[in-house]
Amino acid sequence: QVQLVESGGGLVQAGGSLRLSCAASARTFNNRAMGWFRQTPGKEREFVAAIRWIDSITYYADPVKGRFTISSDNTKNTVYLQMNNLKPEDTAVYYCAAGFTLRPDIGKYDYWGQGTQVTVSS
C-alpha cells in the first residue's frame, strides 16, 4: 500500500504562487504515475496534472496549462506542483494520487492523500 502526504497549501493573493508537495512512501510497479486533483464544494473532483516516474512524461488539464508545472524527485519519492499566476478559481482542496498509468481519470488512481487547501484571494 502506498501512503501519500501532501503539503504546501495555503492562502495566496491572485497572481501569486504556491508549490505543493506529495511525498510517497514507495514507488512500485502499480504506482507508475502520480496525479494532482482538486475539488471545491458542489463540484466533482477534477484532474489537474499528472507525471510518470520513469520518464517524467506529463499531462495537464487545460485550465492550468502554462501556469502549473508538475515535477518529480525520484530520490525522495516526491512529486511537486508548482502553481504560478494563481486565480481565485484555483481555490480548492488539492489531492495527490498514485496509480498505474498516466491518465486524467479518477478511477485510474488507487491511492490518495489527505488533501491540502489552496485558497486564492481576489
Side-chain angles (χ1 to χ4, degrees), residues 12 18 45 73 112 115 121:
V12 65
L18 286 173
R45 190 169 299 185
D73 183 341
W112 295 83
S121 62

Side-chain angles (χ1 to χ4, degrees), residues 63-93:
V64 306
K65 287 181 179 177
R67 299 189 298 122
F68 291 9
T69 302
I70 188 170
S71 61
S72 63
D73 183 341
N74 291 11
T75 65
K76 298 180 179 179
N77 289 343
T78 300
V79 172
Y80 305 94
L81 184 67
Q82 179 66 46
M83 305 185 294
N84 298 325
N85 191 25
L86 283 162
K87 304 175 181 180
E89 50 263 45
D90 294 318
T91 296
V93 176

Side-chain angles (χ1 to χ4, degrees), residues 86-121:
L86 283 162
K87 304 175 181 180
E89 50 263 45
D90 294 318
T91 296
V93 176
Y94 283 71
Y95 296 91
C96 178
F100 177 73
T101 187
L102 187 71
R103 293 285 299 276
D105 309 89
I106 293 175
K108 297 297 183 180
Y109 294 84
D110 302 310
Y111 307 100
W112 295 83
Q114 81 287 351
T116 184
Q117 177 70 47
V118 172
T119 302
V120 184
S121 62

